[in-house]
Amino acid sequence: MNVKVSIVGLGKLGASMAAAIASRGFEVVGVDVNERAVDLLNAGHAPVKETNLEETIVANRERLRATTSHRDAILNSDITFVIVPTPSDDRGAFSLQYAAWAFREIGRALAEKKGYHNVVLTSTVLPGSTRYGLLPILERESAKECGKDFGLCYSPEFIALGSVIQDFLNPDFLLIGEFDNRCGSQLEACYKQIMTNNPPCQRMSIENAELTKIALNTFVTTKITFANMLMDLCERIPGGDIDVVTNALGLDRRIGKKYLKGALGYGGPCFPRDNVALSFIARALGSQAELAETTDRFNRTLPEKIIERLRPYIRRGMTVAVLGLAYKPFSHVVEESQGIYLAKALSKIGARVVAYDPLAGEMARAELKDKAVILDSLYECLKQADIVLITTPDPVFQALTAAHFDNGKPKVAVVDCWRILDKELAGCPNILYIPIGRSIDDETNAMRLTQLWNSNNLE
Ligand SMILES: NC(=O)c1ccc[n+]([C@@H]2O[C@H](COP(=O)([O-])OP(=O)(O)OC[C@H]3O[C@@H](n4cnc5c(N)ncnc54)[C@H](O)[C@@H]3O)[C@@H](O)[C@H]2O)c1
């Protein structure tokens, strides 16, 4: 018989995990301190916006319920996943404030529980947090002993917002940091029944797993940043083209094509804070994570670079249309979004900013306030624009044609950070097409190289 599962934290990740696990035949009880989230789930609604979440909840209601009582959840389950926020603190570390509160409640419930219970921390934390920060709370509150009365694992998920359910059920691998063999084996057996793709499982100490999670995210951001570094170089060589370079590079199996695309920087709720946190833990332990620090610093310079590219074309009062405000396509999340940074920076230098995003309009309005007019229509946005800035490769933007930019103004400049409209717009008489990541000016670039490699100096 399947173990019974409880999930503490029904947010962007936890709600999807609860529904996905229920969809695999498990009885699941979710806990949240937010009554609204609990009520919504119990009424068959998604507490957060996520692809297929509501449908999955509705289809599995007989096995899925929610409560505000940690006690109820712990006493009625065998294994508990804790997936509460771990926001960045002033030092750049991940705060354990919410997790500590959740562990205190779980510990109190464990005190009343007969039999073994497995506690799995899924929230992103830094090395040492689970064993040295949170385990003492569980042992103190339960007056029980880890390994004997209950188990403790650290097991993060590798998901992307917008495809959380799909990613959760089909991971590249399972990562289990275990206090001992008993709790690790129980979690692995449980995952093997939940996951649909029979993924390989990596079991290790809790601390190695904590480091692996943050290492994976920071590695991916380093790869993105590497492509962006090359992109800057491509703009300075005649005929330079970042896509030509990265497409070739990606064919090498040691490198691969994923996340190797020069464009804007990375954003969202996870990636930007992970390099900062890795730098923090390295410094705190007497090591140095200079690569992580540089990646973070470089990523934060990218919006300013785009503004510099735009500056020659902008006159005070001109209207710039920013297309894309979420941190990526198919998302309503605007946290650390490059589109938001750019809209703010453009407003600061005196442009009138209008903006559009297929999903993030509402969130962006709250974030940008009077700095931009968020329109509900892409075409209305284009109608007003002297300059168009495309910040995400959203399919809606990819489908635009030259005619959509024809708004009666003599010439509209289109700055295309992802080069998605190259075929459609390059060479159009009424459009000044500016693809980021390609040679800015072949003649000047050639002149610089001529000076650098002047053959007279070689002989
Ligand atoms: N969002 C992502 O893309 C993502 C990806 C990987 C990892 N993570 C990590 O997962 C964790 C959760 O992220 P999220 O985006 O789901 O957060 P979230 O803010 O969307 O949701 C967290 C939920 O936990 C609830 N909560 C807080 N304290 C609680 C407590 N003591 N008991 C019960 N519920 C409590 C909140 O009310 C909220 O509903 C974080 O550590 C995050 O870094 C997130």
Side-chain angles (χ1 to χ4, degrees):
M1 204 178 77
N2 283 343
V3 293
K4 290 183 183 160
V5 175
S6 52
I7 309 267
V8 178
L10 296 170
K12 293 189 284 298
L13 189 40
S16 292
M17 269 177 71
I21 294 173
S23 79
R24 301 291 292 156
F26 287 77
E27 234 179 83
V28 179
V29 51
V31 197
D32 206 295
V33 288
N34 178 351
E35 275 179 32
R36 193 172 165 271
V38 169
D39 291 345
L40 280 169
L41 196 132
N42 282 333
H45 296 298
V48 293
K49 281 188 201 167
E50 181 54 46
T51 311
N52 282 336
L53 177 54
E54 185 136 328
E55 294 85 331
T56 313
I57 291 172
V58 169
N60 296 284
R61 277 184 83 179
E62 77 269 21
R63 280 183 301 279
L64 182 58
R65 70 177 176 96
T67 170
T68 53
S69 161
H70 293 72
R71 182 176 177 275
D72 171 10
I74 304 308
L75 296 185
N76 290 297
S77 63
D78 308 296
I79 186 165
T80 300
F81 294 87
V82 182
I83 182 69
V84 297
T86 48
S88 299
D89 66 18
D90 296 345
R91 305 167 299 172
F94 299 139
S95 162
L96 296 179
Q97 185 192 340
Y98 294 91
W101 205 89
F103 270 60
R104 195 186 70 196
E105 294 299 310
I106 296 167
R108 287 177 186 173
L110 285 179
E112 292 182 48
K113 177 142 193 183
K114 299 199 178 67
Y116 185 81
H117 195 93
N118 200 354
V119 180
V120 182
L121 180 65
T122 300
S123 299
T124 307
V125 295
L126 284 172
S129 306
T130 311
R131 188 191 305 267
Y132 300 98
L134 299 170
L135 172 56
I137 301 175
L138 275 188
E139 292 197 323
R140 189 182 64 228
E141 297 295 332
S142 64
K144 288 186 171 177
E145 197 184 322
C146 189
K148 188 165 140 271
D149 305 308
F150 64 89
L152 180 65
C153 295
Y154 173 70
S155 183
E157 304 301 335
F158 301 97
I159 53 86
L161 295 180
S163 54
V164 178
I165 294 179
Q166 163 75 13
D167 296 349
F168 173 71
L169 292 175
N170 299 279
D172 286 352
F173 70 108
L174 297 166
L175 177 60
I176 297 179
E178 59 196 36
F179 183 85
D180 58 17
N181 184 50
R182 182 179 180 188
C183 59
S185 296
Q186 192 207 43
L187 179 57
E188 181 177 2
C190 180
Y191 274 154
K192 289 266 145 113
Q193 284 172 272
I194 294 170
M195 307 311 173
T196 53
N197 63 339
N198 193 25
C201 183
Q202 295 292 298
R203 287 172 57 180
M204 58 187 73
S205 74
I206 290 177
E207 290 71 28
N208 278 327
E210 290 167 326
L211 183 58
T212 304
K213 163 66 182 171
I214 185 143
L216 193 142
N217 282 12
T218 50
F219 186 88
V220 171
T221 58
T222 307
K223 196 172 176 190
I224 294 169
T225 304
F226 187 81
N228 285 337
M229 174 191 78
L230 293 178
M231 183 173 77
D232 201 56
L233 264 173
C234 284
E235 294 182 345
R236 292 157 206 273
I237 57 175
D241 186 332
I242 185 61
D243 294 323
V244 170
V245 175
T246 54
N247 284 342
L249 266 181
L251 290 174
D252 188 305
R253 273 175 294 171
R254 290 169 301 178
I255 297 176
K257 278 185 190 287
K258 280 188 175 170
Y259 293 97
L260 193 66
K261 172 107 185 151
L264 279 177
Y266 54 82
C270 293
F271 278 171
R273 70 198 199 105
D274 289 341
N275 281 292
V276 179
L278 186 66
S279 310
F280 163 82
I281 190 76
R283 275 196 312 277
L285 298 179
S287 177
Q288 279 176 318
E290 285 177 16
L291 189 55
E293 283 171 26
T294 307
T295 299
D296 177 58
R297 207 169 39 243
F298 187 91
N299 193 60
R300 290 181 197 281
T301 64
L302 289 168
E304 193 45 44
K305 283 195 176 135
I306 302 292
I307 297 293
E308 284 314 309
R309 285 295 301 276
L310 276 168
R311 222 179 260 275
Y313 309 102
I314 298 186
R315 308 276 169 277
R316 217 179 162 74
M318 261 188 177
T319 297
V320 182
V322 176
L323 306 190
L325 297 165
Y327 80 98
K328 64 174 186 179
F330 305 113
S331 173
H332 62 281
V333 178
V334 297
E335 219 173 317
E336 299 265 356
S337 142
Q338 301 261 321
I340 295 282
Y341 286 142
L342 282 161
K344 284 182 181 167
L346 286 164
S347 160
K348 202 168 169 189
I349 62 172
R352 174 178 175 268
V353 182
V354 295
Y356 173 80
D357 189 283
L359 295 176
E362 207 181 304
M363 305 296 255
R365 237 173 240 129
E367 183 67 35
L368 289 170
K369 303 195 173 75
D370 60 343
K371 295 197 171 54
V373 180
I374 317 289
L375 298 170
D376 294 328
S377 152
L378 169 59
Y379 309 107
E380 187 53 42
C381 216
L382 293 176
K383 229 189 253 174
Q384 302 184 21
D386 297 293
I387 299 174
V388 179
L389 173 60
I390 305 174
T391 71
T392 63
D394 198 289
V396 183
F397 307 146
Q398 294 196 36
L400 289 170
T401 64
H404 289 119
F405 293 84
D406 189 0
N407 59 10
K409 304 198 181 182
K411 201 155 200 160
V412 177
V414 180
V415 180
D416 186 353
C417 297
W418 293 81
R419 302 164 298 282
I420 53 178
L421 293 178
D422 177 36
K423 287 201 179 75
E424 187 61 31
L425 302 187
C428 283
N430 303 339
I431 290 173
L432 175 64
Y433 183 65
I434 306 170
I436 299 297
R438 303 230 178 104
S439 168
I440 294 175
D441 176 353
D442 280 353
E443 214 175 302
T444 312
N445 287 344
M447 208 156 56
R448 263 200 232 118
L449 290 185
T450 309
Q451 280 163 2
L452 181 65
W453 302 112
N454 188 337
S455 54
N456 295 336
N457 299 338
L458 296 177
E459 287 158 17

